[in-house]
Amino acid sequence: MHTVVVGTSGTTAEDVIAVARGNARVELSAEALEALARAREVVEALAAKPEPVYGVSTGFGALATRHINHDLRAQLQRNIVRSHAAGMGPRVEREVVRALMFLRLKTVASGHTGVRPHVAQTMADVLNAGITPVVHEYGSLGCSGDLAPLSHCALALMGEGDAEGPDGAVRPAGELLAEHGIAPVELREKEGLALLNGTDGMLGMLVMALADLHTLYTSADITAALSLEALLGTEKVLAPELHAIRPHPGQGASAANMRAVLKGSELTGHHQDDAPRVQDAYSVRCAPQVAGAGRDTLAHAALVADRELASAVDNPVVLSDGRVESNGNFHGAPVAYVLDFLAIAAADLGSIAERRTDRLLDKHRSHGLPPFLADDAGVDSGLMIAQYTQAALVSEMKRLAVPASADSIPSSAMQEDHVSMGWSAARKLRTAIDNLTRIVAIELYAAARAVELRTGLAPAPASRAAIEALRAAGAQGPGPDRFLAPDLAAADAFVRSGALVGAVEPVTGPLA
């Protein structure tokens, strides 16, 4: 089994995905354990002093003015976890919770939180045991971190609340810990607060969204190329010299992908002879510009994610000179903004894909294809309602593109008077990515059928490879009307798994 070693200097996106999706084992480095011990010494020294220190010997948030006596401090740490574990709604996906737990461990291991090495080791043990706390959809405002989601995870460390075991069954967390020989944590000064104060949930969802969208953008370039081919469009608009004079990196990458897929096609460019067109419609001609802008948005979001992965997000923090200082680094604005940017770009990519699908199905604009790609139009409806489904998904994506980060709602008696709503931005982005996958799958299904209906001229070798793999995956080819949902589900699974890219790259070479 792959092992991820957590040190003091952050982590990588690859490690997050390995733990969240691949169940990689987690280990703390010797450097991290030493840093944890040093920071804990600082916290314990401050705890012994009569002067109040926020998070160590005071209440929290709007209650930070109260000095807490020594005999109540353990209760204070337990109480903050219990009271903040106030989430509601459906359960959050296992991979999201594992990413959240791992990223909180990443910050704890930095040595800036003051948490004991024992607590950090218990966090790693819970991940390695496959125990996943039950976290609910609602409860984070994306400021002071993802408080309620992280609190439910901390509650499980204490042996309280519910968690999912490695067998997928939800049971009391205390029972699961006992079965795996893990002793519940008894929290001390600052530790409860340190387990809750981070942007870990929204960051974990951002990291996974970036991985998913990278594959989807490549898949969308492939389906756009198939649609161009099916519509007898011209590949001249993909020429490198045209994209060099508008040097957006993403645009150039998308155009290069489409050129690679279309290499060797006998279908492109025939409209000049058979049905003169000065130029193709925007949805065909501008595919690299739209997908490329989304790719550049991905690059910016990845830069923000990398910075956040290298960060230690807590309040207060233990600095290397021994000071313990309050700060605002838990504010989720940097992550929230790019989550919203990605939802906007994804909505636009879905929108242009749907326009190409509609063009393939419209006999007045498809340049000789049968209406709705039907076998016997009138008797058969073909892919008419597949486009309806795609349109409904696009419409929902437009609603999901409304920014969450533009909103803010005050909390904690106006102490926390401006919040990021980054968790909400991440949750809606996950829905948008699911929808985009289905939209790309429907364009693929329609474009593949349309290419197959073009007889007499050979498609590009990469196109043939994509279509053959799609058919082998269970999405059937042209013919009389049949129960269509299973075919679309097969196309969805084909795109979602990355199999579309995997089918094309042996022909084209690696795509961007």
Side-chain angles (χ1 to χ4, degrees):
M1 180 181 290
H2 178 59
T3 297
V4 171
V5 178
V6 183
T8 60
S9 57
T11 190
T12 65
E14 292 76 15
D15 283 347
V16 174
I17 291 171
V19 174
R21 291 179 167 171
N23 298 312
R25 182 174 179 79
V26 177
E27 291 183 3
L28 292 165
S29 70
E31 174 194 32
L33 291 169
E34 291 170 6
L36 283 158
R38 285 195 303 271
R40 187 62 199 176
E41 289 174 1
V42 172
V43 169
E44 290 181 353
L46 289 171
K49 293 183 177 181
E51 298 84 9
V53 178
Y54 176 69
V56 176
S57 53
T58 70
F60 310 113
L63 303 177
T65 55
R66 179 177 172 183
H67 182 248
I68 307 298
N69 293 331
H70 283 274
D71 57 346
L72 293 176
R73 289 179 190 171
Q75 181 180 339
L76 170 69
Q77 299 301 319
R78 288 194 301 271
N79 286 352
I80 189 175
V81 172
R82 289 168 174 165
S83 65
H84 285 45
M88 294 185 73
R91 282 181 59 195
V92 170
E93 303 86 354
R94 181 178 185 271
E95 67 177 17
V96 172
V97 179
R98 285 185 62 82
L100 178 151
M101 293 168 67
F102 174 68
L103 288 168
R104 183 77 319 227
L105 177 59
K106 174 267 298 182
T107 282
V108 166
S110 70
H112 289 295
T113 67
V115 167
R116 287 171 293 153
H118 165 68
V119 175
Q121 185 59 57
T122 303
M123 295 170 75
D125 291 344
V126 169
L127 279 166
N128 292 338
I131 298 171
T132 308
V134 171
V135 172
H136 299 280
E137 181 83 14
Y138 303 105
S140 173
L141 300 180
C143 202
S144 286
D146 293 317
L147 285 174
L150 283 163
S151 296
H152 283 276
C153 293
L155 194 69
L157 291 177
M158 293 165 47
E160 301 180 18
D162 292 326
E164 177 186 307
D167 61 356
V170 174
R171 295 165 53 197
E175 291 182 11
L176 288 167
L177 295 183
E179 284 184 7
H180 289 84
I182 302 171
V185 168
E186 296 181 7
L187 299 175
R188 297 180 186 173
E189 289 94 345
K190 195 185 179 299
E191 290 180 334
L193 185 62
L195 294 177
L196 315 187
N197 234 328
T199 53
D200 307 294
M202 64 183 92
L203 176 58
M205 286 186 274
L206 172 60
V207 168
M208 290 185 285
L210 287 167
D212 294 340
L213 285 167
H214 181 269
T215 300
L216 269 176
Y217 269 81
T218 305
S219 300
D221 289 340
I222 296 168
T223 59
L226 283 167
S227 291
L228 183 152
E229 196 172 24
L231 291 166
L232 306 179
T234 177
E235 78 282 10
K236 291 181 179 180
V237 295
L238 305 174
E241 57 270 26
L242 291 175
H243 298 280
I245 62 174
R246 195 188 191 194
H248 293 289
Q251 176 180 325
S254 283
N257 283 349
M258 292 181 67
R259 283 198 307 275
V261 173
L262 292 170
K263 185 177 180 181
S265 174
E266 296 179 0
L267 289 168
T268 58
H270 284 276
H271 62 267
Q272 285 89 351
D273 302 323
D274 303 329
R277 279 177 280 163
V278 175
Q279 49 194 2
D280 290 313
Y282 282 9
S283 61
V284 177
R285 188 180 1 140
C286 302
Q289 285 77 7
V290 173
R295 284 177 171 273
D296 291 342
T297 303
L298 284 179
H300 171 63
L303 178 63
V304 171
D306 286 345
R307 290 170 177 163
E308 198 77 2
L309 289 167
S311 301
V313 178
D314 193 16
N315 180 48
V317 293
V318 181
L319 297 174
S320 56
D321 60 6
R323 286 180 294 147
V324 175
E325 296 286 359
S326 292
N327 66 90
N329 283 344
F330 50 74
H331 200 288
V335 182
Y337 290 170
V338 294
L339 287 162
D340 279 334
F341 296 165
L342 292 175
I344 292 168
D348 202 31
L349 186 64
S351 179
I352 197 170
E354 183 275 331
R355 288 293 80 205
R356 289 190 294 265
T357 303
D358 183 67
R359 186 165 289 270
L360 289 166
L361 271 55
D362 185 348
K363 70 174 183 178
H364 300 294
R365 295 180 292 137
S366 66
H367 308 285
L369 289 168
F372 303 106
L373 307 181
D375 186 63
D376 184 4
V379 174
D380 294 311
S381 294
L383 304 189
M384 179 191 295
I385 306 305
Q387 185 267 330
Y388 283 34
T389 299
Q390 195 182 39
L393 290 163
V394 169
S395 185
E396 182 176 4
M397 288 193 71
K398 292 174 183 177
R399 296 190 294 273
L400 292 167
V402 175
S405 59
D407 189 21
S408 178
I409 189 164
S411 56
S412 193
M414 292 300 287
Q415 177 72 7
E416 299 169 9
D417 59 350
H418 184 273
V419 296
S420 78
M421 303 307 296
W423 174 274
S424 298
R427 297 306 297 165
K428 69 184 182 66
L429 177 59
R430 285 180 69 85
T431 303
I433 290 171
D434 275 346
N435 285 355
L436 180 59
T437 305
R438 297 178 182 112
I439 290 165
V440 171
I442 291 172
E443 183 187 9
L444 171 65
Y445 187 72
R449 177 180 286 202
V451 168
E452 289 175 309
L453 290 171
R454 295 286 190 192
T455 57
L457 294 171
S463 300
R464 286 200 303 272
I467 295 169
E468 288 170 3
L470 176 65
R471 300 296 174 237
Q476 300 179 50
D481 280 356
R482 57 180 171 270
F483 182 22
L484 201 54
D487 276 18
L488 298 182
D492 175 37
F494 182 69
V495 172
R496 194 175 298 273
S497 68
L500 172 59
V501 178
V504 167
E505 284 189 327
V507 180
T508 62
L511 297 174

